[in-house]
Every structure is written in structure tokens, then in C-alpha cells.
Amino acid sequence: MASPANGRGEGETPPAASRSGRRDLTTGPIGATLLAFALPTLGSNILQSLNGSINAIWVGRFLGESALAATSNANNIMFLMFSAVFGFGMAATILVGQSWGRRDVDSARRAFGAAIGLVLAAAIVVATLGWLFTPQILRLLATPAEAQALAQAYLRVIFLGLPASMLLVLCFMGLRGTGDSMTPLWFMGLSVVVDSGLNPVLILGLGPFPRMGIAGSATATLIANLVAVGSLVVWIRWRDLPLRLRGREWRYLLPSGALTRAIIAKGLPIGAQMLVISTAGLAMMGLVNRNGVHTTAGFGITLQLWAYIQMPAMAIGAAVSAMAAQNIGAGQWNRVARITGAGLLLNAAITGTMVAVVLLFDRPILGLFVGANSPALPIAQHISLIASWGFILFGGTMVLFGVVRANGAVWGPLLILFAAMFPVRLGLAVLLQPWLGTDALWWSFPAGSATTVIMAALYYRFGSWRRSTLAVPPPDGEQRSHADVDTSGSLHPAG
């Protein structure tokens, strides 16, 4: 039974406790709290990117540039599929964070359970359709002929693993919404160890395992996700972490109509933001593919490098969003502006350092993926030199979008991203090619990032996002009074 005083189950640890790595993000010094929360998230991002890089090294070294180009195309498509269901998880995570800030644990669990039910159903549908239409998707993307068969074998296995990978990411997001960024770090580490360890075994057919080639790399990822998500579910129940479901709470997997509508209303625009980014990425990949397999491979290994450059920005943006959601839920709007400022400064320092290091050591880093004499290597260096600095601007956008989305404002970021990705980035890439050649493709990246951060800053300063409201609706047929939750905060900013 939930206590009517605060919405917590009897005998549960209050959200302010730090058990199992949880942090109360509504108290304490903002800069230090933000950094301490962001570092484990950054560690998770590093592990995830390291895993992708290790797998790319196995594929590039053992199977060649055509296989590497195939995985680059397939990964872009998977990001598109992932985006189709990611928005619902993000919307639920915002609801979890705000509920946690209000000390309303039951609402946090209902939002988390609803997200699991909705996202898993959507992921199964998307995975099925993706598996069936893989050849058509690859042809639409203008995948190089020599890479199509490899890309199809790789992508179909990856589609089979989409539900497990979505559930794993969703659990990570929910845990961070409660202030726990350490548990996701440990289980991301488990996934990386299994995935990177199995890659050479299944690609080459070592020991009793069959030689699977590029499909072996995808199968390793599938197994790693299944192992990690299964272990995480057991850990959440064993450690009795805040978002665990038990008894009658399992009904939360079938969300109420009102909660479903709330998640869809916010999740669709967030998912659309991801779709805009991924669709623009696929369109850019199509433009790159028309320049031959060496340019495609060079761009593919540059994307591996960029995954590392953007890691601090993504981690800081996620930390800022979680902190802002909890503080908005607690009604502490005076801290929200300070969180934004701290996030921007932290991003400029860390992402700027990453860009400098990567540009100084780009050749040995890029050379890990292909041989020293590969024609793709100088192409990758050239792309990195032109476009990598734009990720400092990208990080600023992540911070600003993280704050406004934490209060449920999702349409402004969607319109900004659409304008920056299509009229600006892709428009410049196409229009300037007669004068700049392939350099037009690479210069379009920082141009798009500059446009996005300027528009995001204007929206943060002058937009109406502070007037949004976001709360988990009560179960169908049930009315909740203000006494059902901690009333120490309001959903509206002071002043």
C-alpha cells in the first residue's frame, strides 16, 4: 500500500537516499552534483562507443572495407528504427524524473511500467517490418553493390535484437531518472565484454562455433543485449531498486488510457526529433555512397571517431535533463537556470578538450580501423579536420534541449532540428557540391550544428517552454488529491 502522505510504499527508502548509486539531484552544489552524475553516464557512453569501435575493428580487419561499409549503412538504418520507438521511452523517463522530484514513487513506477509495455510492443513491430524489408531499405539507401549482401546479413540479425536492446536502454533511462547513473554503467560494461569478446569468435568460427562472417558480429551484439538485459532485470528485483515492479504493480505494463495518451503526446514529437536526425543521416549516407566505397568507408570510420567526440555532450545533456526534471518536479526553478549554465560550461570544457585531442591524434586513431595504406584513411582525416569542431556547438544544443524537454516542451526542439537538418545541412550539402565537391558534404555538418545551437538558445531564452506542465495522470477511474504526493513543489516556475 502506498502511504497517502507521500506516495511511497510502506518501509521504502525515500528518494533522497543514495543506496545503489542513487543521488538526490534537487539538493547540493549544482556543478559538483552534475559532474558526479554525468561521469558514470559518460563512462557508459565510452563503453558503448568503445564496443562499436572494437566491433568495427574486427569487421574491418577480418572482412575488409566492403564489410565495414556494410556495417556503416546498417548502423544508420538501425538508428532510424531505434528512433521510431525511442521517443516513448524518453517521454516516460521525463515523467519518472518529475515524479521522483515530487517524491511520488508510485507515479514513477507507473510511468516506467507503461514505457516498458509500449516500447516493447513497438520494438517488436518495427523489428518484424525491418527484417522483412531489409533488402528494399538497403536499395533505397543506395548501398554500394559490393556491400549489399553483407549489409543484409548483418542488418537482419541486428533487427532480431532490437526489442532486447530497446529494453536495455529503457531500463538505463529509467534508472537515471531516479538519480542512479552507476547501475547502467556496470551493465553496459557487461554488454561490452560479452559483445566484443564474442565478435572474433563468431566471425572467424573459433572453437566449436561456426564461421558466421559479418552475421557473427551482429549475433554477438544480439547475445550481449540479451545477457545484459536479463541480468539487469534480475539485479533490479534482487536489489529492490526503486523502479522494480512486483505484485499488483505488474499491471503497470498495461498502461491506463490517460497515461498512454500522455506518453504518446510527448513521445511522438521526441521520436520525431530522433527520426529527423536519423533521416538526415541516412540522406547524407546516400550522398556519401555515390562517391564510392572508399569515401563510404572513410566516412564510416570518421563516424566512429565522432561517436567519441560527442560522448561528453550526450552524457552532460542526459545529466542536465535528469537534474532539471527532478528540480522542476520539486518546484525548484531557481536551480534550473543554474543547472543550464553549469551544463554549458562543462560541455565547452570537456567536449572542447576531446575535439583537440582527436584532431591531434587522428591518424593513429583512424588507422585502427583500416590498414595504414588504405585509401580511406586520408579521406577520413580530411573529413575529421573540417567537421569535428562542430560537436562543441552540438553539445550546447544537447544541454539546452535537455532542459526544455525536462518540462515536457517537445515541439520547439523538433522544429529547430528539422530546420537545421534539412534546409541547412542537406541543402548546403547539395547546393555547394558543384563548387566544393565532396567538401560540401563535410562543411554541412558544422553549419547545421551552428544553426541548431543558435535557434536552441533563442528558444530557451524567449520560448514558452517554462509554462508547460507534465505529470503522470491517475489510474483510470481513480482521483488523486494533492495529499497523495509531496506538495513541497509546484509544476510551474516561480515568477
Side-chain angles (χ1 to χ4, degrees), residues 155-236:
L155 186 57
R156 276 190 156 161
V157 179
I158 290 293
F159 270 125
L160 293 177
L162 181 65
S165 63
M166 279 302 309
L167 181 57
L168 184 64
V169 170
L170 182 60
C171 288
F172 288 171
M173 293 166 63
L175 288 167
R176 290 182 184 124
T178 66
D180 180 3
S181 58
M182 286 302 300
T183 300
L185 174 62
W186 301 128
F187 284 89
M188 177 57 72
L190 173 62
S191 176
V192 169
V193 169
V194 175
D195 194 356
S196 59
L198 282 179
N199 249 269
V201 172
L202 297 181
I203 289 174
L204 300 175
L206 302 179
F209 296 95
R211 184 184 181 92
M212 300 177 67
I214 196 170
S217 178
T219 303
T221 300
L222 168 62
I223 294 172
N225 284 333
L226 289 172
V227 169
V229 75
S231 302
L232 180 57
V233 169
V234 171
W235 178 263
I236 289 173

Side-chain angles (χ1 to χ4, degrees), residues 70-88:
T71 60
S72 297
N73 279 267
N75 288 335
N76 273 282
I77 294 168
M78 277 312 301
F79 186 71
L80 175 63
M81 300 297 104
F82 188 87
S83 302
V85 293
F86 178 80
F88 300 137

Side-chain angles (χ1 to χ4, degrees), residues 237-420:
R237 287 184 57 81
W238 179 54
R239 297 288 294 174
D240 196 27
L241 297 187
L243 293 182
R244 59 96 184 104
L245 302 178
R246 64 187 179 194
R248 298 177 62 188
E249 293 170 341
W250 285 108
R251 296 181 302 175
Y252 296 164
L253 295 174
L254 299 174
S256 66
L259 183 52
T260 298
R261 288 190 294 272
I263 291 176
I264 290 176
K266 299 299 181 183
L268 284 178
I270 295 175
Q273 293 169 33
M274 301 291 291
L275 286 171
V276 165
I277 295 173
S278 58
T279 303
L282 289 173
M284 182 63 71
M285 182 61 76
L287 295 175
V288 173
N289 283 339
R290 288 167 172 80
N291 291 277
V293 69
H294 294 311
T295 301
T296 299
F299 184 60
I301 60 177
T302 305
L303 291 178
Q304 291 289 332
L305 195 66
W306 286 351
Y308 289 97
I309 295 177
Q310 69 183 349
M311 284 187 301
M314 299 295 290
I316 294 166
V320 163
S321 187
M323 285 190 70
Q326 285 199 17
N327 281 274
I328 290 170
Q332 299 193 47
W333 279 89
N334 61 314
R335 287 174 58 88
V336 174
R338 293 160 56 202
I339 290 168
T340 307
L344 291 172
L345 288 174
L346 197 59
N347 165 72
I350 299 180
T351 305
T353 301
M354 286 288 294
V355 169
V357 170
V358 163
L359 291 180
L360 284 172
F361 301 100
D362 59 344
R363 186 174 184 85
I365 295 173
L366 292 167
L368 292 172
F369 301 98
V370 291
N373 297 321
S374 170
L377 184 56
I379 296 173
Q381 284 184 276
H382 183 67
I383 297 171
S384 177
L385 182 63
I386 290 176
S388 293
W389 63 272
F391 283 96
I392 302 173
L393 307 178
F394 164 81
T397 301
M398 289 298 97
V399 171
L400 295 169
F401 279 179
V403 174
V404 301
R405 278 197 294 244
N407 201 36
V410 292
W411 288 103
L414 173 59
L415 295 175
I416 290 170
L417 281 173
F418 183 85

Side-chain angles (χ1 to χ4, degrees), residues 24-103:
D24 183 357
L25 304 179
T26 62
T27 62
I30 287 174
T33 301
L34 176 62
L35 182 61
F37 185 75
L39 285 177
T41 305
L42 176 59
S44 297
N45 291 347
I46 291 173
L47 288 174
Q48 186 175 30
S49 295
L50 184 63
N51 184 48
S53 297
I54 293 172
N55 293 349
I57 291 171
W58 292 132
V59 170
R61 292 289 186 174
F62 293 150
L63 302 176
E65 289 183 1
S66 293
L68 191 60
T71 60
S72 297
N73 279 267
N75 288 335
N76 273 282
I77 294 168
M78 277 312 301
F79 186 71
L80 175 63
M81 300 297 104
F82 188 87
S83 302
V85 293
F86 178 80
F88 300 137
M90 187 66 190
T93 300
I94 295 169
L95 289 168
V96 168
Q98 288 207 11
S99 298
W100 206 253
R102 288 190 295 271
R103 308 297 192 254

